[in-house]
Amino acid sequence: MARRKPWEVSDELWAVIEPLLPKHERRFRYPGRKRIDDRKTLQGVLFVLYTGVQWEFLPQELGFGSGPTCWRRLAEWQEAGVWEELQRVLLDGLRAADRLDFSRATIDASHVQAKRGRSSPKVGPSPVTAHGRARSITC
């Protein structure tokens, strides 16, 4: 059995994601260019995120659309709140299946606000003054 590429979206995952995406109806008059399929565009976004290739160098031969198109679609979905809703839906599904285990968790300080204030007093005054010169400390 062939191994699935990391940017390929399975039918099962697509069934969860597709209802969360905003719907776009084509105009009857002056419809313009047909919009690239959302699933293909999502795979283009995942390809860029997985490989680290720059958006403008996304290979057209892969059929995901252009890099700027994928980037704009990603921004559109972000603005519509798709990613927060997808996270909620996936976590709800994992909770319902009793598949979440929080016995080990990591918190990244870049995403969690550091609270000000301490329960214990500070160590002492800084040995450097506000002018950047060393303070004379007598022992």
Side-chain angles (χ1 to χ4, degrees):
M1 187 164 120
R3 192 170 148 188
R4 173 172 274 143
K5 295 178 177 82
W7 53 86
E8 289 180 351
V9 178
S10 67
D11 293 336
E12 180 182 350
L13 181 58
W14 183 244
V16 174
I17 296 173
E18 186 178 27
L20 304 177
L21 299 177
K23 304 293 183 237
H24 289 276
E25 300 293 327
R26 281 186 85 187
R27 294 182 306 228
F28 176 73
R29 190 171 181 182
Y30 308 113
R33 184 177 292 168
K34 188 174 180 183
R35 187 176 166 100
I36 296 195
D37 180 53
D38 284 336
R39 186 172 183 172
K40 287 285 187 188
T41 308
L42 175 61
Q43 291 182 122
V45 169
L46 295 175
F47 180 85
V48 168
L49 295 176
Y50 184 79
T51 62
V53 68
Q54 294 178 9
W55 289 105
E56 62 265 21
F57 297 128
L58 178 66
Q60 292 284 316
E61 299 82 30
L62 296 175
F64 301 143
S66 71
T69 296
C70 292
W71 183 85
R72 281 191 303 273
R73 196 78 56 93
L74 175 64
E76 175 188 317
W77 294 337
Q78 174 66 30
E79 188 175 316
V82 171
W83 307 119
E84 291 84 7
E85 186 65 18
L86 177 60
Q87 182 179 13
R88 188 193 61 74
V89 167
L90 293 175
L91 285 174
D92 288 348
L94 289 171
R95 280 189 193 100
D98 197 28
R99 300 279 308 213
L100 282 179
D101 178 19
F102 288 115
S103 62
R104 287 184 262 160
T106 302
I107 296 177
D108 184 354
S110 66
H111 298 292
V112 177
Q113 181 181 1
K115 301 294 179 186
R116 293 191 173 179
R118 305 172 137 237
S119 59
S120 62
K122 290 186 175 181
V123 176
S126 172
V128 178
T129 65
H131 303 292
R133 291 178 285 211
R135 180 183 299 185
S136 60
I137 301 175
T138 58
C139 296

